Amino acid sequence: MPDNSSLEGMLRAASPARTAADAKPDAAALVARDRILTSSQPAHRRRRTIAIGWASGLALATASVVVAAVVMSPQTTARAGAPFSSVALTPTVAAIVDQAQAQLSTSSGPAEPQRFVRTASWNFSVDASTGELRVFTQLSTISWEPDGSGHVILVNSPEQDPADAEWYSHSEIPLSGDVEEFPMLPGEFVTPVTDPPAESLAGMEDALRALEMPEGASAFEAVTTITTLLGQWTLTNDQHAALLRIIEDAGGAEAVPATHDRLGRAVDGLRVMSPDGAVSDVVYVAVDTGRIVGVERTVVKADSLLPAGAILGYQLWDVDGSVG
C-alpha cells in the first residue's frame, strides 16, 4: 500500500506544473477533488480510486500510465500499408513544420477560437488502499464561457487490468456508457486566457506567457504550456501554425517519422526532452491537416514508480465533431 508521500510524489510527477503548492485550486482541480473525495460511488464499485491527470487545461483524468508492453503499437513506426508523408523517410523538424504550414493554409478548421475541447485519452486509476492500478479510455468534453461557467462531460470505458495487452491493443474511445457530468458555475473555470488569443505569432506567445511559459522557454517548456492551452481552447489553423513555429524556434526538438495515432490518423511527430532527461513528449501533427492533434509523454529514466518506456500521458484532440 503506497503511503501519502508516495501518492503525492506520483501526483507531482504526473503534473509538472509550476503553480505553487499552496496556490488556490482552480475549477478543474476542484471538480477533480470532488470526484475523488466526495462523490458517492455506485454500489457495484468496490473501491475508491484516485484519478491522476497530466499537464493539461483540464485535470480530469486526462493522463495515462501504461507500461511499454501494453502500448498498442510503437508510435515511431508506421503501420503496414500506411501512407507516408513526404518527410517520413528522412524527417527534419523544419520539414515537418513546413509541410504542416502548407496543409494548414488549405485544410478546414475553426473560423475562430472556440471555448470547447473534446479530448480522447488513455488513463489510469489507483486504488488508494491497495495501490492496484487499472486503466481505461475516456472521452472528455469541456465547454466554458468568459465568465468561467461551463460544463464537463466524461465518458469512461470499463476499467481493465493494465497487463491485459489484448484489451489494450483493441481499446476504443467510449461514446456511451459510464457518463459523468460536472456543471461549472460562473468563476469556477479559471484561466488567464479568457479572451480569444490573437492569431499572430506574437499573440500566441502572449497567450502562452499568460499560462506561465517562461522567457527563453525550452521546446519542452513550450510544449507543456501548449498542452495546457489546447486543453482549454480549440484553436484556428493560423494559431496552430504559430504554435508549431514556437516549438521549432525554441530549438532542441527532434523529428519522429510518420506513424498513426491511437485513433488511426496519420501523423508526424516532434519529440522534446525534459531538461532533466526524465521524460519526453511527442507532439503529433496530422499529416492531412497540419494541426496539432495530440501529445504523448514517455518515461525515459526509470524511477521507483515507473520503468523506462512507460507511457505517462496520452491525449488526442480534434476528435470527430470538435473541429470545423
Side-chain angles (χ1 to χ4, degrees):
M1 167 180 171
D3 59 22
N4 289 339
S5 61
S6 296
L7 290 173
E8 182 180 2
M10 183 179 288
L11 286 165
R12 291 185 180 279
S15 184
R18 288 177 294 275
T19 305
D22 58 354
K24 180 180 179 181
D26 60 16
L30 291 172
V31 171
R33 180 204 63 189
D34 290 343
R35 177 189 179 194
I36 294 166
L37 298 177
T38 64
S39 63
S40 59
Q41 297 293 326
H44 69 276
R45 295 178 72 100
R46 60 181 174 82
R47 66 192 189 283
R48 173 168 289 178
T49 60
I50 296 176
I52 300 177
W54 170 67
S56 76
L58 183 65
L60 289 171
T62 55
S64 54
V65 167
V66 182
V67 294
V70 299
V71 173
M72 290 198 294
S73 63
Q75 294 299 301
T76 56
T77 304
R79 295 177 180 176
F84 282 87
S85 72
S86 61
V87 298
L89 297 179
T90 55
T92 65
V93 171
I96 289 175
V97 172
D98 287 347
Q99 177 174 281
Q101 301 279 358
Q103 291 299 108
L104 286 164
S105 67
T106 59
S107 63
S108 62
E112 58 187 22
Q114 301 174 2
R115 295 181 182 88
F116 173 94
V117 180
R118 180 170 288 129
T119 304
S121 58
W122 282 253
N123 314 298
F124 69 91
S125 64
V126 179
D127 187 323
S129 62
T130 68
E132 180 186 12
L133 183 68
R134 305 290 286 180
V135 294
F136 60 99
T137 55
Q138 182 182 84
L139 181 66
S140 65
T141 303
I142 179 171
S143 57
W144 58 283
E145 301 297 333
D147 66 357
S149 63
H151 200 78
V152 178
I153 301 174
L154 305 178
V155 185
N156 301 313
S157 75
E159 294 184 354
Q160 302 288 335
D161 183 345
D164 186 352
E166 178 66 20
W167 172 84
Y168 215 78
S169 66
H170 296 93
S171 61
E172 297 180 352
I173 293 299
L175 300 178
S176 63
D178 180 12
V179 178
E180 300 175 85
E181 296 192 39
F182 304 95
M184 294 184 290
L185 299 175
E188 288 190 334
F189 184 82
V190 179
T191 175
V193 187
T194 55
D195 295 325
E199 293 189 317
S200 64
L201 181 64
M204 296 311 296
E205 289 174 336
D206 287 344
L208 296 178
R209 280 193 288 268
L211 290 167
E212 300 187 15
M213 184 181 77
E215 293 291 338
S218 66
F220 183 86
E221 291 171 322
V223 167
T224 297
T225 316
I226 287 169
T227 302
T228 300
L229 183 65
L230 294 178
Q232 300 176 354
W233 291 88
T234 293
L235 299 175
T236 68
N237 284 6
D238 285 345
Q239 290 171 320
H240 276 251
L243 293 178
L244 288 168
R245 287 298 181 201
I246 289 170
I247 295 172
E248 180 184 15
D249 291 347
E254 299 177 353
V256 176
T259 184
H260 283 75
D261 66 21
R262 293 185 183 180
L263 296 181
R265 301 175 296 187
V267 291
D268 291 315
L270 301 173
R271 178 180 286 113
V272 297
M273 188 72 67
S274 65
D276 61 2
V279 299
S280 68
D281 286 348
V282 175
V283 177
Y284 288 120
V285 182
V287 170
D288 61 343
T289 67
R291 291 175 61 85
I292 298 171
V293 294
V295 176
E296 175 184 4
R297 175 163 291 183
T298 304
V299 175
V300 177
K301 293 181 180 179
D303 59 21
S304 60
L305 292 173
L306 299 169
I311 307 302
L312 183 59
Y314 197 105
Q315 54 188 312
L316 300 175
W317 305 294
D318 283 12
V319 183
D320 288 348
S322 65
V323 176

